């Protein structure tokens, strides 16, 4: 094990032998380093004022991602590079092209949100040359401004490449050199870090992860921390120990297995979106609305599923597609809490790591339908010592119709009031032979509408069938009234989404999507 956290702050190597497992990047920057350019706005990953850029290795290449520093735990930066707004000025004090563009386009007033906007634009600039207005808007969807208005900031996004091309950007020019330094930092040792608030583990193999989970059944497993971070910043929870999955590269893999995709639990939303978009363009649009890009950069498919939120957007779509979860564990002998502390614990984990290298130990895997994983509100079919290793997503076969959409108070960067996802199989007589209707926001768990499905089976796919299915929804759900929507509204929307499915599959000339209406207005 390695008991030293190592990462680059700009081009400076940082090494910490003690760190609390849930110390946020934001607090470390502002309170420890006195780098106050990064601001705290909401402390929940919504406003983007705390946006910083993380460079991490992806298949040996440097990948830059904008993330919310307010909910990202500092130890998760092991082997990465961290960039803040302080790193942008030139050696002579000159402004970076992104900063200069903000000045020229009058993109700042009070300035509180400005560093976050600048870092989001920097990430976009480093990843894409001359981005379109649409891409600029997507990249800024996770940044909120209360005084300037967004047009000047979008104009700055268009102006930055005019001031200096991306190829001339020093961060772009230093990319290979930074990647080389990160390769040297990324080793095969489990990071084990102690702080006053507890211990943090970051294994690099699935085998070692299984051992850690078995040894610490009370541990909190962290992927992107887009929700767990709020347990700390809002609920003030103490998480000890924390097991971070981000260094296990096999868990990030997405592979095409012929009739289905195998998506590792740590595959990020950006990559998952690209993979699922190949199955259906509607999945692409659904995932484009997953929070802002900061959330999509950090969030993972495994975290989204195991979080178990009844208003998570991805589980209904995966349930409708017939996805399967792969749950992994290693069953070890029973041990007392005292027996797995200190040196005894370390010796045990080192022994299991050695066994994993030699293949003498084996993992136990269990596959279950995703819909069976959710038992009750925040209660899942996950046995002690188990974790989600992968999600298997079937491809759409001939004769299948698929639809997914969400309704939320804000169009972008908002959680659903209701999310619906539907898959139908039509027989040779154009009658429904199979129906999978899944909803989020209608119950304490993501759930299929069994009565509505039964109302469709054997019927022609038409308005009468849909009306019967909508009427049956009252047998499937008794939704709650809450801050996001009333029960009456949710029931109405659930039916309307099913009717939208019918319209889109039988009347393709009828526009039902906001994005399409906006595009039509723009070209009208």
């Amino acid at each position: 094990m390695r008991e030293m956290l190592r990462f680059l702050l700009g081009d400076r190597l940082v090494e910490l032998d003690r760190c609390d497992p849930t110390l946020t990047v934001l607090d470390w920057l502002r309170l420890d380093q006195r780098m106050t350019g990064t601001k705290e706005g909401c402390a929940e990953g919504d406003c983007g004022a705390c946006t910083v850029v993380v460079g991490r290795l992806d298949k040996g290449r440097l990948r830059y991602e904008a993330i919310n520093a307010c909910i990202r735990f500092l130890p998760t930066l092991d082997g990465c590079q961290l960039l803040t707004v302080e790193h942008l000025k030139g050696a002579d004090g000159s402004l970076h092209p992104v900063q200069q563009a903000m000045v020229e386009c009058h993109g700042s007033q009070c300035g509180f949100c400005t560093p976050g906007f600048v870092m989001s634009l920097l990430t976009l600039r480093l990843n894409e040359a001359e981005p379109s207005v649409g891409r600029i808007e997507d990249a800024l969807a996770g940044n909120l401004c209360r005084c300037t208005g967004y047009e000047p900031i979008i104009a700055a996004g268009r102006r930055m490449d005019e001031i200096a091309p991306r190829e001339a950007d020093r961060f772009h020019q230093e990319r290979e050199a930074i990647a080389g330094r990160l390769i040297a930092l990324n080793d095969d040792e489990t990071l084990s870090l102690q702080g006053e608030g507890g211990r943090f583990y970051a294994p690099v193999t699935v085998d070692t992860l299984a051992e850690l989970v078995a040894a610490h059944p009370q541990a909190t497993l962290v992927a992107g921390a887009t929700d767990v971070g709020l347990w700390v910043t809002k609920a003030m929870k103490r998480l000890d120990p924390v097991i971070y999955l981000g260094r296990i590269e096999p868990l990030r893999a997405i592979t095409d297995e012929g009739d289905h995709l195998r998506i590792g639990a740590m595959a990020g939303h950006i990559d998952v979106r690209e993979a699922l978009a190949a199955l259906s363009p509607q999945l692409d649009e659904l995932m484009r609305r997953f929070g802002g890009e900061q959330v999509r950069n950090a969030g993972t498919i495994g975290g989204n599923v195991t979080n178990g939120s009844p208003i998570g957007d991805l589980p209904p779509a995966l349930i409708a597609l017939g996805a399967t979860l792969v749950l992994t564990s290693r069953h070890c002998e029973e041990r007392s809490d005292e027996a797995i502390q200190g040196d005894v614990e370390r010796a045990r984990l080192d022994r299991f790591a050695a066994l994993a290298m030699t293949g003498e130990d084996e993992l136990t895997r269990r596959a279950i339908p995703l819909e069976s994983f959710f038992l009750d509100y925040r209660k899942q079919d996950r046995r002690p010592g188990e974790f989600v290793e992968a999600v298997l997503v079937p491809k759409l076969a001939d004769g299948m119709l698929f639809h997914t959409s969400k309704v939320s108070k804000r169009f972008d960067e908002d959680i659903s009031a209701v999310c619906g996802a539907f898959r139908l199989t039509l027989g040779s007589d154009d009658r429904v032979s199979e129906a999978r209707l899944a909803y989020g926001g209608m119950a304490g768990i993501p759930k299929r509408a069994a009565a509505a499905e039964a109302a469709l089976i054997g019927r022609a796919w038409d308005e009468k069938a849909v009306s019967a299915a909508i009427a049956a929804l009252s047998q499937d759900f008794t939704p709650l009234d809450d801050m996001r929507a009333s029960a009456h509204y949710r029931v109405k929307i659930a039916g309307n989404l099913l009717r939208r499915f019918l319209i889109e599959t039988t009347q393709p000339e009828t526009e039902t999507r906001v994005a399409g209406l906006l595009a039509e207005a723009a070209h009208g």
Side-chain angles (χ1 to χ4, degrees):
M1 283 193 180
R2 170 165 50 86
E3 298 188 342
M4 181 74 73
L5 170 62
R6 306 179 307 195
F7 64 93
L8 299 181
L9 179 61
D11 61 1
R12 176 170 66 88
L13 176 63
V14 174
E15 296 182 310
L16 300 174
D17 59 3
R18 288 189 65 82
C19 181
D20 283 358
T22 58
L23 173 65
T24 66
V25 173
L26 178 66
D27 282 350
W28 182 76
L29 285 171
R30 293 182 61 84
L31 303 178
D32 186 274
Q33 298 295 296
R34 308 306 298 171
M35 297 174 68
T36 56
T38 306
K39 308 302 183 186
E40 178 179 312
C42 65
E44 58 187 36
D46 275 346
C47 74
C50 69
T51 301
V52 295
V53 176
V54 171
R56 67 173 178 87
L57 291 176
D58 181 18
K59 301 180 180 66
R61 299 176 63 86
L62 186 60
R63 174 172 177 166
Y64 283 113
E65 297 172 333
I67 60 103
N68 293 306
C70 68
I71 53 174
R72 182 68 175 259
F73 301 146
L74 185 70
T76 67
L77 297 186
D78 187 66
C80 297
Q81 181 191 33
L82 174 63
L83 298 175
T84 72
V85 69
E86 284 91 347
H87 296 113
L88 266 64
K89 69 179 179 180
D92 59 355
S94 59
L95 295 178
H96 185 274
V98 176
Q99 296 171 308
Q100 186 63 41
M102 288 285 283
V103 171
E104 293 182 9
C105 296
H106 307 285
S108 177
Q109 285 189 28
C110 80
F112 195 86
C113 67
T114 302
F117 274 101
V118 166
M119 299 311 288
S120 288
L121 287 174
L122 174 68
T123 310
L124 179 64
R125 171 180 169 86
L126 294 178
N127 291 332
E128 301 178 34
E130 300 181 354
S132 66
V133 172
R135 277 297 298 127
I136 294 171
E137 291 176 348
D138 277 353
L140 298 179
N143 295 81
L144 303 182
C145 175
R146 291 178 173 84
C147 52
T148 302
Y150 298 99
E151 284 301 322
I153 302 172
I154 293 169
R158 300 176 67 182
R159 173 71 178 136
M160 59 186 180
D161 283 340
E162 296 173 356
I163 293 174
R166 181 179 69 147
E167 290 70 21
D169 197 301
R170 75 176 186 278
F171 296 110
H172 185 72
Q173 293 175 344
E174 296 169 357
R175 206 164 189 145
E176 289 190 12
I178 294 296
R181 293 182 66 185
L182 296 187
I183 289 172
L185 292 180
N186 280 267
D187 54 28
D188 294 328
E189 294 187 80
T190 295
L191 174 63
S192 176
L193 200 61
Q194 182 67 46
E196 292 183 4
R199 184 166 285 276
F200 177 95
Y201 295 102
V204 294
T205 68
V206 175
D207 290 76
T208 307
L209 171 61
E211 291 310 322
L212 286 167
V213 175
H216 300 282
Q218 81 283 13
T220 300
L221 273 62
V222 172
T226 57
D227 191 63
V228 173
L230 275 68
W231 301 359
V232 175
T233 62
K234 297 299 182 180
M236 305 300 173
K237 286 187 178 181
R238 176 177 176 177
L239 308 180
D240 178 29
V242 168
I243 302 175
Y244 177 56
L245 285 64
R247 297 180 66 222
I248 308 173
E249 284 303 314
L251 292 186
R252 294 185 182 274
I254 300 176
T255 56
D256 189 326
E257 303 293 334
D259 62 347
H260 70 276
L261 299 176
R262 188 184 193 280
I263 304 177
M266 278 300 296
H269 289 324
I270 298 292
D271 298 326
V272 171
R273 174 186 173 185
E274 182 179 352
L276 293 183
L279 305 186
S280 168
Q282 294 199 7
L283 290 167
D284 179 65
E285 175 58 20
L286 176 72
M287 297 201 70
R288 189 194 68 78
R289 294 175 62 192
F290 268 38
E293 287 210 352
Q294 296 93 324
V295 171
R296 297 200 294 273
N297 283 329
T300 67
I301 188 171
N304 190 268
V305 167
T306 56
N307 181 38
S309 171
I311 49 177
D313 293 335
L314 194 51
L318 295 175
I319 290 172
L321 288 167
T324 297
L325 281 189
V326 178
L327 296 162
T328 302
S329 64
R330 172 166 291 128
H331 298 293
C332 303
E333 71 276 13
E334 298 252 342
R335 297 175 66 88
S336 66
D337 289 341
E338 292 78 10
I340 57 174
Q341 300 300 318
D343 293 337
V344 174
E345 175 194 17
R346 188 169 307 144
R348 179 175 187 268
L349 293 174
D350 284 346
R351 176 170 61 85
F352 277 117
L355 289 173
M357 293 293 289
T358 60
E360 294 177 28
D361 230 345
E362 293 184 358
L363 298 175
T364 299
R365 290 180 171 85
R366 180 170 67 103
I368 62 171
L370 177 58
E371 63 211 70
S372 302
F373 182 65
F374 304 105
L375 302 177
D376 201 348
Y377 180 71
R378 300 290 187 179
K379 184 179 180 182
Q380 304 157 354
D381 180 12
R382 187 158 40 136
R383 299 169 184 170
E386 280 190 332
F387 56 90
V388 174
E389 183 176 358
V391 183
L392 311 181
V393 185
K395 296 180 181 179
L396 295 170
D398 293 340
M400 287 183 177
L401 303 177
F402 179 77
H403 171 99
T404 184
S405 55
K406 64 181 280 185
V407 174
S408 55
K409 288 186 176 182
R410 291 197 309 260
F411 187 79
D412 280 320
E413 204 193 0
D414 200 6
I415 298 172
S416 295
V418 176
C419 180
F422 320 122
R423 191 189 79 183
L424 296 184
T425 301
L426 300 183
S428 57
D429 57 356
D430 288 334
R431 292 183 178 274
V432 179
S433 60
E434 181 202 32
R436 297 180 65 89
L437 312 179
Y439 284 96
M442 294 292 289
I445 58 174
K447 182 183 173 185
R448 287 177 66 178
E453 291 174 354
L456 292 174
I457 300 298
R459 304 186 63 155
W461 177 231
D462 57 21
E463 176 59 35
K464 288 184 179 180
V466 168
S467 295
I470 291 174
L473 286 173
S474 61
Q475 302 173 46
D476 291 310
F477 302 109
T478 306
L480 296 175
D481 289 286
D482 62 19
M483 58 180 283
R484 298 194 180 279
S486 67
H488 174 77
Y489 180 78
R490 283 191 161 104
V491 170
K492 186 70 173 177
I493 289 299
N496 286 348
L497 293 183
L498 192 54
R499 183 166 279 114
R500 174 193 269 183
F501 181 27
L502 172 68
I503 293 171
E504 290 188 350
T505 52
T506 60
Q507 304 173 37
E509 71 281 359
T510 302
E511 183 58 70
T512 65
R513 302 275 173 161
V514 171
L517 293 173
L518 292 176
E520 182 179 328
H523 291 89

